[in-house]
Amino acid sequence: MHDPKELKNAGLKATLPRLKILELFETSEQRHLSAEDIYKIMITNGEDVGLATVYRVLTQFEQAGLLVRHHFESGKAVFELNEGSHHDHIVCVQCGHVEEFCNEEIEKLQHKVAEDRGFKIHDHSLYIYADCIKTSCPHKN
């Protein structure tokens, strides 16, 4: 999606920092990136960009609906591409590793709980904070 037309459709001019940041989200193996992650990657790649610019672009992308912001750990914001499909997250409290999942039973139950209490869900997010119990977890230090 790092096509200048896509940015224009979102109401944003296709500047080099915007194109580079969008490309990072599309090509990174890591789906959830913080502003600091983006900044470090760009500096390592020889890009001339400031941290303030990265923050500004991420906020613009979020407002335009291109990215979704999450607060997984201690208030630190991370972003992921908004691909239009809903999923939930399990976050390891030991190492911060995040896994995405979708479960229809959980989705149905959330809607039933809301309906039983007189609500209709517009949007929701579910974060499960857990300890990894895998004996050979590749994410542990």
Side-chain angles (χ1 to χ4, degrees):
M1 178 205 286
H2 52 282
D3 176 351
K5 258 188 228 163
E6 295 297 329
L7 286 173
K8 192 173 182 183
N9 291 344
L12 298 168
K13 201 192 296 185
T15 63
L16 193 59
R18 287 180 182 148
L19 289 169
K20 293 284 185 186
I21 290 171
L22 197 51
E23 183 178 11
L24 274 177
F25 276 98
E26 292 172 340
T27 59
S28 174
E29 288 181 23
Q30 197 177 340
R31 285 187 44 83
H32 306 95
L33 297 165
S34 69
E36 292 80 9
D37 295 333
I38 296 284
Y39 176 71
K40 286 176 192 168
I41 293 167
M42 291 183 77
I43 292 300
T44 302
N45 292 344
E47 302 293 335
D48 182 24
V49 66
L51 186 56
T53 299
V54 173
Y55 275 107
R56 186 171 55 254
V57 170
L58 292 175
T59 300
Q60 291 166 343
F61 282 0
E62 180 190 14
Q63 290 169 345
L66 298 174
L67 296 179
V68 177
R69 179 189 304 246
H70 298 286
H71 295 278
F72 291 138
E73 50 186 296
S74 67
K76 179 183 170 189
V78 293
F79 298 82
E80 72 176 310
L81 278 178
N82 182 358
E83 295 171 329
S85 61
H86 175 76
H87 58 266
D88 296 308
H89 300 87
I90 297 177
V91 183
C92 178
V93 295
Q94 296 174 44
C95 69
H97 174 70
V98 178
E99 290 196 15
E100 298 175 350
F101 71 95
C102 220
N103 182 296
E104 275 308 309
E105 292 302 310
I106 290 175
E107 295 303 314
K108 287 178 192 170
L109 189 55
Q110 288 177 105
H111 285 279
K112 183 178 178 349
V113 167
E115 192 176 297
D116 289 351
R117 287 163 178 73
F119 293 92
K120 181 173 174 22
I121 295 176
H122 289 283
D123 191 17
H124 75 279
S125 53
L126 173 64
Y127 304 127
I128 298 174
Y129 295 94
D131 289 316
C132 174
I133 56 173
K134 299 173 197 155
T135 51
S136 59
C137 176
H139 306 289
K140 287 184 183 168
N141 294 334

